[in-house]
Amino acid sequence: MLVIEDKASTQKARNRIDLYEDKQVEKLCKEAGEKLSLPAATLQADLYRLTDLLEQHIEKQLQQTKPPEQALPVLTAKEREALQQFASKPKLIKRLNELLGRAGIVGEE
């Protein structure tokens, strides 16, 4: 929903619009311009600027709500050695599946 107001006369034009549809924006600007005695080109430039500002605001909001990337844990030398020994033994996938089963994750192949 968009409300365009002429500050001088306080007259308003209310419309539903998809700001990403150029034809809708052009039509709205023409109609609102006639109703409010404002230049359609100015209204159109303002709506494109509004759209850009909304995109920036949404991007900023998304960046603020994005969870921080978690760093991988750093293994100690002892943990790294145990991991290498585990990985170098035969039937790695079978042993991993057994460990997953013991952890409560079942039915995954």
Side-chain angles (χ1 to χ4, degrees):
M1 182 75 177
L2 182 69
V3 178
I4 300 172
E5 180 179 356
D6 177 13
K7 293 284 187 186
S9 68
T10 66
Q11 206 175 8
K12 297 178 182 178
R14 292 180 175 86
N15 294 279
R16 291 186 188 277
I17 184 169
D18 180 349
L19 293 173
Y20 287 97
E21 287 290 328
D22 284 335
K23 290 185 185 211
Q24 283 187 32
V25 173
E26 290 170 12
K27 182 180 176 186
L28 168 69
C29 291
K30 182 180 175 189
E31 292 173 0
E34 289 172 5
K35 179 178 180 179
L36 303 175
S37 300
L38 297 171
T42 302
L43 291 174
Q44 191 169 347
D46 288 346
L47 287 183
Y48 286 139
R49 178 72 179 130
L50 173 65
T51 304
D52 291 340
L53 291 170
L54 287 170
E55 286 176 343
Q56 291 172 13
H57 176 72
I58 290 167
E59 183 64 32
K60 185 178 177 183
Q61 293 293 103
L62 289 173
Q63 292 298 324
Q64 290 176 353
T65 59
K66 189 186 229 183
E69 291 187 27
Q70 296 178 348
L72 293 175
V74 178
L75 300 177
T76 65
K78 186 177 179 180
E79 290 170 328
R80 195 171 15 264
E81 183 181 329
L83 179 61
Q84 287 173 342
Q85 287 177 3
F86 181 82
S88 64
K89 293 180 184 175
K91 300 181 181 178
L92 175 63
I93 300 297
K94 181 180 179 187
R95 290 183 291 115
L96 283 172
N97 281 335
E98 289 172 0
L99 289 174
L100 289 170
R102 282 192 242 153
I105 302 172
V106 296
E108 300 294 326
E109 292 295 326

